[in-house]
Amino acid sequence: MCVLLFKNNEEIFAVRFRLTLTEKTAIFAAYIQGLDYFMKNIRNFCIIAHIDHGKSTLADRLLDYTGSVTAREKQDQLLDNMDLERERGITIKSHAIQMDYEYEGEKYVLNLIDTPGHVDFSYEVSRSIAACEGALLIVDAAQSIQAQTISNLYLALENDLEIIPVLNKVDLPSANPEEVTDDIVDLLGCDPEEVIHASGKTGFGVDNVLAAIIERIPAPEGNPKAPLQALIFDSVYNTFRGIETYFRVFNGEIRKGQHIKFVATDKDYYADEIGTLKLNQVAKQTVKAGDVGYLITGIKTAKEVKVGDTITDFAKPTQNIVEGFEDVKPMVFAGIYPVDTEDYEELRASMEKLQLNDASLVFQPESSAALGFGFRCGFLGMLHMEIIQERLEREFDMTVITTVPNVSYYAYTNKAPDEIIIVNNPSDLPEPSTLNRVEEPYIKATIITKSDFVGNVMSLCIEKRGIITNQTYLTTERVELIFEMPLAEIVFDFYDRLKTVSKGYASFDYHPIGMKQSKLVRLDILLNAQPVDALSALIHAENAQTIGKKMCEKLKELIPRQQFDIPIQAAIGAKIISRETVKALRKDVTAKCYGGDISRKRKLLEKQKKGKKRMRQVGNVEIPQQAFMAVLKLND
């Protein structure tokens, strides 16, 4: 028995009739063919490039050309929906959006995921790449190939993505399309005809980009009739609806109201609402294999959603977990503390919500004698740390203090020379008497710059304990330098100084290469003879004297004067290596003494001296927030 449903004037009629086996087979085949047709016309792709090569602008033109935005909705950097992204002109979050496009009489669904370009947000790129079959590799026609271009390209090739090279900004007067096309051909090994010339500003070449996406990027593969298998590649917290989960379906389909399960957390939910990600969310009854969508289940607890998890059907779970993307590896560690200790729980809730939207943020509770209760946070770099601090203040109205950033070290003691002690905080380092050795993380740094600045860049890297391993002339004007250097040396001011010495013409990328033994010491800062653990830092022994002196000088400028002298000391263990003093504010107690015996003046000065001494013993020194970040700007 077969039932067909007809809808007419909002009324539904059911017609029942019997079918032969041949007719049933034909209808089922047509249904499967329809599913294949649906998947055949989907293209999932991301945009990868170095920072400031025009990804967001080109994405705007793609949305314009496909009619995905109305004239009212149009604005520059449409997918960069954070104020912070617009102010800084960088993409921080990857954004997914669906476009409908008709090409040669057929309708196609294009799922675009725009990605960041800065090295600190490479984790966002890896998440986007895991959900796609192809990538647009954008190269600036004026700046040519940069370090992050190469890094992101390798990431895409490792995931077997189809690469479409796009030469952007060809309309600029400084553009050099022929030379840059040759650079792309050398990098990719493709034909010069495959490189698409375009301009995100004027819209030139956008039709060719769309044609290439449809012709070159393969349609998603998957079995629409298999058990549900979907990858969570992002999530965001909505105050009213709970956690919105963004996913890509690899096999099967997800239906509204379906009983589903998250494999990693082993929790089950009902799909209250599902749909696709256009400029605004569009609710659907089903999201099928090959497509990208969103899911709302009413989850309120941030820990229940893990990026990279697999969604499956509760009754018929899939046996294969989706191979997600690389695990996050924090590079820089710093403490984040609320200014008011009563806000600790509120800060925890804010950071959990922020972690949903930025899975590369790692944190755990810790306490400091100077700052009270807070969190030890892991970041991918200094810019990432700065952005997290800004987002906490803007989005969650949290005023926080950030301690001196440092990296993660391995320490070994004489008692157990094979046992690794992971040191994320300088206070965790064992005492010098028991310490056997310390290992610090090293990176392979790739710097691409103009040949005029090679000397300046080399001097900077050698100053930062770097060892040059390779030097390649990509063209007569552009050089690729590869260094091995300690990660701790690039944490503070390296990126800014690199831009300064190269007049803005250097690009920088890095990845970890392991741990190496190093001679490190813990530099403690003492204020009024009391150690301030939040200002402690692990520093190479050769630089300790210089950095200790600079820190004392900087703190002398920042700490306000009190009614008593404040000694500022830098110490390694019990040895003081530098000292500065913030002089006391003194009242002229002898002003009222005119003439008379000198002993009267001495008596008053002696009384004042005793009072100052007693005040120093009980007085507390207020440390302004700028002092905690002073170490970052020691060269200013």
Side-chain angles (χ1 to χ4, degrees):
M1 180 70 72
C2 181
V3 179
L4 284 181
L5 297 175
F6 296 95
K7 189 174 182 182
N8 183 27
N9 294 330
E10 302 303 322
E11 293 185 32
I12 297 174
F13 301 93
V15 180
R16 289 184 172 81
F17 53 90
R18 294 192 179 279
L19 292 174
T20 64
L21 182 62
T22 310
E23 288 168 332
K24 285 178 184 174
T25 308
I27 287 172
F28 183 71
Y31 171 64
I32 292 297
Q33 190 178 357
L35 289 174
D36 287 344
Y37 173 79
F38 175 75
M39 285 184 66
K40 183 171 74 74
N41 286 27
I42 291 179
R43 299 292 182 272
N44 298 317
F45 69 99
C46 59
I47 300 181
I48 55 176
H50 189 77
I51 188 170
D52 199 32
H53 277 210
K55 300 174 302 303
S56 299
T57 313
L58 190 68
D60 289 347
R61 297 295 79 76
L62 291 171
L63 294 172
D64 291 347
Y65 203 89
T66 55
S68 302
V69 289
T70 63
R72 278 185 67 186
E73 293 167 330
K74 275 186 192 178
Q75 57 173 315
D76 291 339
Q77 289 176 265
L78 188 66
L79 295 183
D80 294 345
N81 53 18
M82 268 190 254
D83 291 340
L84 207 51
E85 292 178 311
R86 294 178 181 284
E87 285 169 23
R88 290 174 175 254
I90 58 173
T91 303
I92 294 167
K93 281 290 304 158
S94 60
H95 296 275
I97 191 164
Q98 190 177 87
M99 301 177 284
D100 296 320
Y101 183 60
E102 191 167 323
Y103 179 70
E104 294 183 351
E106 280 196 61
K107 290 184 178 177
Y108 290 86
V109 173
L110 311 178
N111 289 312
L112 155 70
I113 303 178
D114 183 26
T115 62
H118 195 280
V119 63
D120 278 14
F121 303 108
S122 56
Y123 187 63
E124 290 283 331
V125 181
S126 75
R127 289 157 56 176
S128 304
I129 283 172
C132 296
E133 281 80 33
L136 297 181
L137 181 73
I138 311 291
V139 179
D140 190 320
Q143 296 182 50
S144 190
I145 293 163
Q146 301 292 315
Q148 194 63 19
T149 315
I150 298 168
S151 175
N152 286 338
L153 171 66
Y154 289 154
L155 203 59
L157 290 174
E158 282 171 22
N159 284 267
D160 295 327
L161 264 62
E162 180 65 35
I163 309 293
I164 299 174
V166 178
L167 189 62
N168 196 21
K169 304 189 185 180
V170 292
D171 57 316
L172 289 180
S174 56
N176 195 345
E178 290 80 14
E179 189 179 311
V180 180
T181 300
D182 291 341
D183 292 348
I184 294 170
V185 169
D186 291 343
L187 180 68
L188 286 176
C190 60
D191 295 326
E193 298 75 36
E194 291 178 36
V195 180
I196 301 167
H197 289 215
S199 167
K201 188 177 178 182
T202 63
F204 168 75
V206 172
D207 53 341
N208 296 331
V209 172
L210 287 164
I213 289 166
I214 291 164
E215 289 171 2
R216 297 194 214 169
I217 294 175
E221 293 178 2
N223 183 357
K225 305 307 290 177
L228 172 64
Q229 182 195 39
L231 168 75
I232 299 174
F233 68 86
D234 206 355
S235 56
V236 63
Y237 186 83
N238 185 310
T239 313
F240 305 106
R241 310 170 86 189
I243 292 163
E244 298 172 359
T245 307
Y246 299 158
F247 61 87
R248 153 78 198 274
V249 184
F250 284 90
N251 287 306
E253 63 179 30
I254 184 167
R255 299 178 306 281
K256 184 179 179 181
Q258 183 176 350
H259 193 185
I260 56 168
K261 176 183 169 185
F262 287 12
V263 175
T265 56
D266 200 29
K267 291 188 179 286
D268 59 291
Y269 313 94
Y270 287 92
D272 298 337
E273 182 181 321
I274 58 166
T276 50
L277 296 157
K278 299 222 169 178
L279 190 60
N280 298 309
Q281 294 172 344
V282 179
K284 295 273 182 78
Q285 289 299 313
T286 59
V287 177
K288 298 185 172 67
D291 213 349
V292 173
Y294 73 92
L295 163 72
I296 295 171
T297 55
I299 302 171
K300 295 286 184 186
T301 311
K303 290 178 182 173
E304 293 182 27
V305 179
K306 290 187 182 294
V307 171
D309 197 356
T310 302
I311 304 173
T312 188
D313 186 70
F314 182 77
K316 293 182 181 175
T318 180
Q319 299 304 309
N320 302 317
I321 295 173
V322 178
E323 289 296 324
F325 32 85
E326 59 187 29
D327 289 332
V328 59
K329 298 184 191 79
M331 293 289 180
V332 175
F333 293 84
I336 289 184
Y337 294 83
V339 171
D340 188 344
T341 49
E342 291 176 1
D343 295 337
Y344 174 72
E345 286 301 329
E346 195 180 333
L347 178 61
R348 181 198 289 275
S350 301
M351 291 188 74
E352 284 177 354
K353 289 170 188 172
L354 194 56
Q355 193 179 39
L356 270 177
N357 195 234
D358 184 353
S360 52
L361 171 65
V362 177
F363 66 90
Q364 62 186 49
E366 74 162 5
S367 63
S368 157
L371 300 171
F373 290 103
F375 295 96
R376 190 76 188 161
C377 305
F379 308 98
L380 297 181
M382 284 299 291
L383 178 67
H384 185 215
M385 185 181 101
E386 207 177 309
I387 294 296
I388 292 293
Q389 189 178 344
E390 286 241 17
R391 288 185 72 184
L392 280 170
E393 290 179 3
R394 289 188 188 208
E395 295 174 29
F396 301 99
D397 202 24
M398 295 297 307
T399 310
V400 294
I401 292 173
T402 310
T403 64
V404 176
N406 66 322
V407 299
S408 191
Y409 300 93
Y410 288 175
Y412 300 85
T413 57
N414 293 322
K415 192 181 285 184
D418 297 327
E419 186 185 331
I420 297 173
I421 300 168
I422 297 173
V423 180
N424 287 335
N425 195 327
S427 58
D428 298 338
L429 189 73
E431 286 299 313
S433 56
T434 62
L435 193 62
N436 181 299
R437 67 187 189 279
V438 182
E439 292 180 353
E440 64 176 328
Y442 265 67
I443 56 157
K444 179 183 175 184
T446 305
I447 299 168
I448 297 176
T449 187
K450 282 192 169 184
S451 51
D452 302 353
F453 307 117
V454 169
N456 295 348
V457 171
M458 277 191 176
S459 300
L460 173 64
C461 293
I462 290 164
E463 181 193 325
K464 295 286 187 180
R465 297 193 282 138
I467 299 164
I468 189 161
T469 58
N470 200 4
Q471 179 178 344
T472 311
Y473 275 80
L474 302 173
T475 67
T476 53
E477 288 293 312
R478 293 170 62 253
V479 186
E480 181 187 58
L481 302 169
I482 295 175
F483 288 88
E484 284 185 9
M485 58 199 303
L487 178 62
E489 294 289 347
I490 69 155
V491 161
F492 300 133
D493 57 353
F494 179 78
Y495 196 68
D496 292 338
R497 287 184 65 193
L498 178 66
K499 288 290 180 190
T500 305
V501 300
S502 65
K503 297 183 181 174
Y505 282 105
S507 66
F508 173 64
D509 182 46
Y510 64 88
H511 64 265
I513 55 171
M515 310 293 284
K516 290 189 181 181
Q517 188 172 337
S518 193
K519 193 179 178 185
L520 297 168
V521 292
R522 184 174 76 214
L523 182 70
D524 292 316
I525 299 294
L526 287 78
L527 291 181
N528 202 15
Q530 297 298 315
V532 182
D533 57 350
L535 287 172
S536 296
L538 286 175
I539 291 165
H540 196 267
E542 290 175 9
N543 304 332
Q545 186 88 31
T546 312
I547 290 175
K549 189 171 187 297
K550 284 184 178 178
M551 282 183 77
C552 289
E553 288 169 356
K554 199 80 175 178
L555 289 168
K556 185 185 176 183
E557 295 170 18
L558 294 168
I559 290 173
R561 291 170 73 185
Q562 308 284 335
Q563 293 290 329
F564 54 92
D565 283 359
I566 305 170
I568 303 169
Q569 298 166 309
I572 297 170
K575 183 184 176 186
I576 305 295
I577 59 169
S578 181
R579 172 182 169 130
E580 295 286 337
T581 306
V582 179
K583 285 295 179 185
L585 290 166
R586 293 178 69 90
K587 182 182 177 184
D588 189 0
V589 290
T590 60
K592 60 187 177 183
C593 299
Y594 49 93
D597 190 20
I598 189 69
S599 60
R600 189 168 172 223
K601 288 186 180 180
R602 283 195 186 132
K603 188 178 175 184
L604 287 168
L605 288 169
E606 222 29 64
K607 188 179 176 184
Q608 185 189 39
K609 190 177 176 183
K610 284 179 182 174
K612 297 281 185 193
K613 190 176 179 182
R614 190 164 57 250
M615 197 184 289
R616 183 181 157 188
Q617 287 169 352
V618 297
N620 285 324
V621 181
E622 286 290 321
I623 308 170
Q625 186 174 342
Q626 309 94 285
F628 294 106
M629 300 303 282
V631 72
L632 304 184
K633 298 182 174 65
L634 291 178
N635 288 303
D636 286 5

